Amino acid sequence: MSGSNNQQLNVLVSGGGTGGHIFPALSIANEVRRRHPEARILFVGAEGRMEMEKVPAAGYNIIGLPVSGFDRKHLLRNVTVLARLFKSMRLARNILKDFKPDIAIGVGGYASGPMLKEAQKQGIPTLLQEQNSYAGVTNKLLAAKADSICVAYEGMERFFPKEKIVLTGNPVRRNLLDCGATPEQARQAMGVDPNKQTILIIGGSLGARTINNAIIGGLSKIGETHGVQVIWQTGKIYDQQCHEALMASGVKNVVQMPFISNMDMAYRAANLVVSRAGASSISELQLLGKAAILVPSPNVAEDHQTKNAQALVSRDAAIMVADADADRDLVDTMLDAVVNTDLLSQLGTNVEKMALRDAAEHIVDEVERIISQSKS
């Protein structure tokens, strides 16, 4: 894969659906581009999903497949799901014929199923990236014919052939790790008091209703707690409801916003983070050594967020509050924890021990290894 190999590199990256799939995919693409500036990189996503907007914004081409998930509640709706799947398989064949990838990388999410299945049928090398501690359906189906499966947790041989597993960790957004600000400077940048204990609440890229409702219910309690403040990211859908509740409460030590663009500053400002337990969020907390309370989303396949959270809780590396208990317990738990500096430093130290660094680099090492093997 060095300079002697002058033919152009064609890399196809497929998947998406949530930030948790898209950020790792972009990190991998960025690392390919850094090493091989002349490489052609093509993304394949699902029509109408977040990647169709985020990937072009990051400077890459993307093609959307009309694929959607199976409807487990209304089985009759799956007739259209199947029709879309067949159409997606046909489109996938055409994409492979036109683009001629040297490798297809699947990061999970709807589109990666038909895309990588077709690539495997045609003998194109494939690499899977599994972010969670509990493997997704798509990756389990593709594993047998994959050349390599890059994972972020130990013990994944329950799901995948042992000899194909490479422990790399999950790639995270570069800028989060490069933040040079002190916590005081970061709090100023976030518009809060530089000297108070700070809780950062993030509900994932789309917000989290349960977390938001728990905070709304606990606003007066938060308002009465001295020396503590809250940065509250609600997600766009819940922005108005949360903003109105905050205004009506008259509470002054909470700053609310629909979306945080400077996450590097937000993390740096925080003594404690309240978050869903998606794979990307957990990898960020590990790499940054952040004490956290995790509220796993119950609306995800195979309840994988609870399993992600338990992997941390079992190592004293996070606190977990079940979604069903959040209304009752979340605000008390976070207000107790944020003033317990011994607990915060223990959680931070333990979670940082779990971090796997330079994940994108390790994954691209694997990509290069597979391509040179298939070319020889």
Side-chain angles (χ1 to χ4, degrees), residues 26-306:
L26 287 170
S27 300
I28 295 167
N30 291 341
E31 179 61 17
V32 170
R33 183 169 274 182
R34 193 182 69 75
R35 296 187 196 186
H36 305 278
E38 76 304 333
R40 291 169 66 216
I41 299 171
L42 176 66
F43 280 77
V44 179
E47 282 173 3
R49 306 291 296 207
M50 200 167 148
E51 58 266 26
M52 299 310 292
E53 163 193 335
K54 296 276 187 219
V55 169
Y60 293 99
N61 293 333
I62 186 165
I63 298 174
L65 300 180
V67 63
S68 55
F70 275 93
D71 193 327
R72 292 180 187 157
K73 293 197 183 83
H74 312 94
L75 292 176
L76 283 173
R77 289 188 193 161
N78 291 323
V79 177
T80 45
V81 173
L82 283 172
R84 285 188 193 144
L85 183 63
F86 287 122
K87 191 175 169 194
S88 297
M89 301 287 280
R90 199 168 62 239
L91 284 167
R93 279 197 290 277
N94 294 341
I95 291 168
L96 294 172
K97 202 164 70 196
D98 294 342
F99 186 66
K100 300 188 176 53
D102 295 293
I103 191 167
I105 300 169
V107 295
Y110 297 141
S112 67
M115 199 62 241
L116 268 83
K117 190 94 193 129
E118 274 308 315
Q120 290 178 344
K121 266 191 208 164
Q122 297 188 22
I124 293 163
T126 55
L127 176 142
L128 306 178
Q129 201 250 329
E130 175 55 64
Q131 294 100 13
N132 293 295
S133 62
Y134 193 88
V137 178
T138 308
N139 279 349
K140 283 194 283 200
L141 293 172
L142 295 165
K145 291 191 170 151
D147 292 77
S148 184
I149 303 161
C150 296
V151 302
Y153 290 90
E154 308 269 355
M156 297 301 284
E157 47 285 336
R158 311 179 282 164
F159 307 108
F160 301 132
K162 192 173 180 172
E163 67 284 357
K164 295 184 179 186
I165 296 175
V166 188
L167 186 64
T168 57
N170 283 324
V172 305
R173 295 171 275 184
R174 196 81 249 184
N175 65 327
L176 294 182
L177 309 177
D178 298 338
C179 179
T182 65
E184 292 73 21
Q185 289 166 335
R187 286 176 203 140
Q188 248 154 344
M190 297 301 297
V192 296
D193 186 322
N195 303 310
K196 283 186 176 171
Q197 286 292 97
T198 304
I199 303 172
L200 170 65
I201 297 172
I202 40 180
S205 42
L206 304 169
R209 181 192 291 139
T210 313
I211 295 178
N212 289 336
N213 286 344
I215 301 306
I216 289 174
L219 279 171
S220 57
K221 218 177 250 180
I222 297 168
E224 291 154 11
T225 308
H226 298 293
V228 169
Q229 62 195 350
V230 173
I231 299 169
W232 181 19
Q233 184 225 302
T234 55
K236 290 195 188 87
I237 324 167
Y238 308 106
D239 179 38
Q240 194 184 347
Q241 176 201 0
C242 295
H243 180 72
E244 285 167 4
L246 180 58
M247 291 299 102
S249 75
V251 168
K252 296 280 177 275
N253 58 340
V254 176
V255 172
Q256 178 267 332
M257 55 202 81
F259 185 76
I260 297 174
S261 50
N262 50 340
M263 274 306 294
D264 55 337
M265 288 292 182
Y267 273 127
R268 184 54 59 95
N271 301 97
L272 175 70
V273 179
V274 174
S275 170
R276 286 301 200 191
S280 277
S281 305
I282 286 187
S283 297
E284 290 168 0
L285 296 167
Q286 289 170 338
L287 287 159
L288 298 169
K290 284 287 164 189
I293 296 173
L294 300 171
V295 186
S297 168
N299 325 314
V300 294
E302 288 113 1
D303 197 21
H304 66 245
Q305 287 206 1
T306 298

Side-chain angles (χ1 to χ4, degrees), residues 210 295-296 298 321-328:
T210 313
V295 186
V321 172
D323 192 83
D325 303 334
D327 265 351
R328 188 189 64 211

